[in-house]
Amino acid sequence: LRMINETLGTTIVMVTHSMGVASMLADRIVIMKDGEIVEGGTKAEVLSNPESEYTKQLLCDVPRLMVD
């Protein structure tokens, strides 16, 4: 998807429940809860400085890979 976006200059709208996928592919992120937008902004804004308690909880629930 990233290659298509960069090569063709297209906009891609993706819906995902995975914050990991969103952090890898998105330039901008919008967080929705119960059909309402609770937060949005650039990837850096939302992931580095979440304002919504719901967003903070989503980020805490992202699985971490354990690498030796």
Side-chain angles (χ1 to χ4, degrees), residues 18-60:
S18 170
M19 292 299 284
V21 168
S23 71
M24 288 176 52
L25 295 176
D27 296 319
R28 299 187 58 78
I29 295 177
V30 173
I31 304 294
M32 297 183 73
K33 181 177 190 275
D34 299 325
E36 301 288 329
I37 294 174
V38 296
E39 185 161 3
T42 67
K43 173 173 47 178
E45 291 168 344
V46 173
L47 298 180
S48 298
N49 190 27
E51 295 180 6
S52 157
E53 288 302 317
Y54 182 69
T55 304
K56 291 175 185 177
Q57 186 61 46
L58 287 174
L59 292 171
C60 286

